[in-house]
Structures are given as structure tokens and as C-alpha cells.
Amino acid sequence: MKKISILLAVGLLAASCNRDKSAEAGTQGMNAAAAAADDNSKANPTIDNPNVASDTEAPNPDAPVMTFAESQFDFGDIKPDSKVAHTFTFTNTGKTPLLIADATASCGCTTPNWTKEPVAPGAKGTLDVQFDSRGKQGLISKQVSVRANTQPSTTVIYIKGNVLTK
């Protein structure tokens, strides 16, 4: 019974993959069908999609700019099974309020916490990064990606250190 079920499943899978290729509508097929439907009309292969940004789209000169005082911090030697933290400071050097959407670390041992309210132009904000050395040893290098309403929308900062052995 088990062999019959397997053979039936394989047969159905093969049948579903063996479709009539002439029924597929690719760009060529759609254009040919449109031209055949009306000999006087011309098919337009270009489709305008408002959800796709143009390659020539100009950057917003009024966008907020996240300028970090430092983009990397070295903890140096870190004791095993300990937590260390560093506060990164940034300034909004743009012309409109800066709002951080989220910050994600490259690993679960690193935890970011950031300024939640909008940072006015010229004002400062913070990004606290905590690293838990439990279960780690040797050289570490972690990154935190900060997503905000800036251009580009993601800024990356780094922490590094050396977790000592027990």
C-alpha cells in the first residue's frame, strides 16, 4: 500500500510539472497575443510600476542624516561570562527630524537599545549596545544595523573585543 501511495504521488507530481508550455504567457507571449488581437494596435512591453523607485530618483536634500561620533568600538579584553555595554552617540545633521525604526544585531548575544522619540535637526540621540560574552571566547566582531528615515535607510556600527578564556 505504501509503494502505491508513493508511486501515485510521483505520478501526480510529474503530471503537474508537465504543463503545456504554449499556455505560458511570458513577455513575448503577452506581446504576441496583444498584437494578434488587434493588428492596428501596438503592444507596449513597458509597464510603469509606481512601487519601484527610479534609478534616476534624486535623493531628498531635506532628509535627516545620522552622524555617529564613532562607528566602531573596541571593548578590548572581555571577562568570560560577563556583559559589557557601550553607548554610541549620533547627531541629526539633516534638516528634518530623524526617527529610528529599529536596530538589529548580527547575533543574539548583542542587544541594541535606541532613542525612541524623533531626534530634531542638530539634536543628539543614543544607541546603547550590550554584548553578552557567555559561551563565547576569542576575538569577536559584531555589527548593529540601524534602520531609520535617512538616506541611505540603513547605517551599520560595529563592536569588537577579545573574550578571555576561563
Side-chain angles (χ1 to χ4, degrees), residues 3 6 15 21 39-40 45 59 62 64 81 83 107 118 128 146 148 155-156:
K3 287 183 181 181
I6 292 173
K21 298 295 182 189
D39 291 333
N40 296 330
D62 295 329
D81 298 329
K83 292 181 181 180
C107 128
D128 299 320
V146 183
T155 304
V156 180

Side-chain angles (χ1 to χ4, degrees), residues 12 27 30 39 51 56 69-70 79 83 111 135 138 144 150 153:
L12 288 174
T27 305
M30 287 174 25
D39 291 333
N51 298 319
T56 60
E70 59 185 342
K79 293 179 182 176
K83 292 181 181 180
T111 309
V144 176
T150 56
S153 62

Side-chain angles (χ1 to χ4, degrees), residues 8-9 42 58 63-64 86 135 149:
L8 182 60
K42 293 185 179 179
H86 178 70
N149 62 336

Side-chain angles (χ1 to χ4, degrees), residues 81-100:
D81 298 329
S82 66
K83 292 181 181 180
V84 293
H86 178 70
T87 299
F88 289 89
T89 303
F90 64 88
T91 304
N92 178 1
T93 57
K95 297 179 181 177
T96 55
L98 186 151
L99 184 60
I100 296 176

Side-chain angles (χ1 to χ4, degrees), residues 4-101:
I4 294 172
S5 297
I6 292 173
L7 289 174
L8 182 60
V10 169
L12 288 174
L13 181 61
S16 68
C17 291
N18 190 16
R19 297 185 318 203
D20 180 14
K21 298 295 182 189
S22 64
E24 291 184 17
T27 305
Q28 296 292 343
M30 287 174 25
N31 289 341
D38 183 4
D39 291 333
N40 296 330
S41 69
K42 293 185 179 179
N44 184 1
T46 304
I47 298 173
D48 293 327
N49 185 346
N51 298 319
V52 177
S54 164
D55 291 339
T56 60
E57 185 175 335
N60 179 358
D62 295 329
V65 178
M66 183 182 292
T67 305
F68 279 93
E70 59 185 342
S71 60
Q72 180 175 303
F73 181 77
D74 187 349
F75 286 109
D77 289 338
I78 302 169
K79 293 179 182 176
D81 298 329
S82 66
K83 292 181 181 180
V84 293
H86 178 70
T87 299
F88 289 89
T89 303
F90 64 88
T91 304
N92 178 1
T93 57
K95 297 179 181 177
T96 55
L98 186 151
L99 184 60
I100 296 176

